[in-house]
Amino acid sequence: MSYRNRTAALASAAALAGSAVLMAAPVARAEVVDVNYQCKTPIGDKSAVSPIDIKGAESGDGYRITMSWQKGVSSSPVELGKGAMTPSATIALGGADGGTMTVTGPANDAAIPANTPIKINDLSGTYTPKKSGEVTFTAGVLTIKALGTTTTCTPTNDPGPSLTLDVTAASGGGATGSTQGGGSGSGSGAELPQTGPEDSAVALGTLGGTVLLAGAAGALWLTRRHQGARARH
């Protein structure tokens, strides 16, 4: 094979390697979704719309899932003192998996004035995949317990998924679960891309560029070797 053909073959192989890396990029998509909650409270029905953000971070054989509310939902006719309100919620699973998982959080760390929208702290839990593939996470029922009463808020606008993850099932499968969480609820482990695959694409594109550069370096070496051989003849 001539040095020109070898150079072309190396360049083609490098380009294909870069494309294969990009095609194998894991999926992690997230978006803030407006959820229209209809709440059943001890004093009657209430409604509120809150943008919901769900994030995922790898944690052992599973993923730490965190659910955030950008606006308050429901309200109380009386002040709720510090620690008087405890929230929890379900997240509907779709795609390669099904069912629901539960996320929980701490009680309110400050008093909530009467007739004021109740701001929900971040809720978190651990999701262990039962199957490999793309799994979607969609806001489910929010439950608020306060002063011996229970308020349930159900999405009524059929919201879309707030998060899509490409997951790998643990050995022997597993089950969805929940873990008490609080604060930012980010959990341990490396944070997955939260706003789409762009960040992964940039990193993997850099890797693909490195492969291409390696191919170019090999082509240059072959060219110089060929020129050296001609000089000796």
Side-chain angles (χ1 to χ4, degrees):
M1 181 185 293
S2 69
Y3 84 97
R4 288 184 179 178
N5 289 338
R6 288 195 295 269
T7 300
L10 278 171
S12 298
L16 287 173
S19 299
V21 170
L22 289 174
M23 291 175 64
V27 176
R29 299 189 301 271
E31 62 179 308
V32 177
V33 176
D34 288 339
V35 178
N36 185 358
Y37 283 104
Q38 294 294 322
C39 300
K40 298 289 186 182
T41 80
I43 59 172
D45 295 349
K46 295 180 179 292
S47 63
V49 176
S50 179
I52 300 297
D53 180 28
I54 300 177
K55 298 178 181 178
E58 291 185 32
S59 179
D61 289 334
Y63 299 82
R64 186 72 167 174
I65 304 299
T66 302
M67 188 176 186
S68 304
W69 281 257
Q70 296 189 2
K71 291 184 179 179
V73 297
S74 191
S75 62
S76 171
V78 298
E79 179 179 280
L80 298 177
K82 179 179 179 180
M85 183 273 295
T86 304
S88 64
T90 61
I91 295 176
L93 307 174
D97 209 342
T100 61
M101 67 170 292
T102 300
V103 288
T104 59
N108 57 305
D109 55 6
I112 301 173
N115 302 313
T116 299
I118 298 174
K119 177 65 172 70
I120 306 298
N121 290 327
D122 288 357
L123 306 182
S124 60
T126 299
Y127 165 67
T128 303
K130 294 180 291 185
K131 298 179 180 179
S132 298
E134 281 195 3
V135 177
T136 60
F137 298 77
T138 304
V141 177
L142 168 66
T143 301
I144 301 172
K145 294 185 177 182
L147 303 178
T149 67
T150 300
T151 294
T152 56
C153 300
T154 304
T156 59
N157 61 330
D158 192 22
S162 294
L163 176 66
T164 300
L165 289 179
D166 191 354
V167 304
T168 301
S171 300
T176 55
S178 61
T179 302
Q180 186 72 24
S184 64
S186 59
S188 60
E191 189 79 6
L192 293 171
Q194 304 302 335
T195 57
E198 292 84 356
D199 292 341
S200 293
V202 170
L204 290 168
T206 301
L207 177 57
T210 301
V211 173
L212 289 173
L213 287 174
L220 179 60
W221 179 81
L222 285 172
T223 300
R224 289 181 175 176
R225 181 182 181 187
H226 179 78
Q227 290 174 345
R230 287 193 300 178
R232 285 194 298 273
H233 291 294

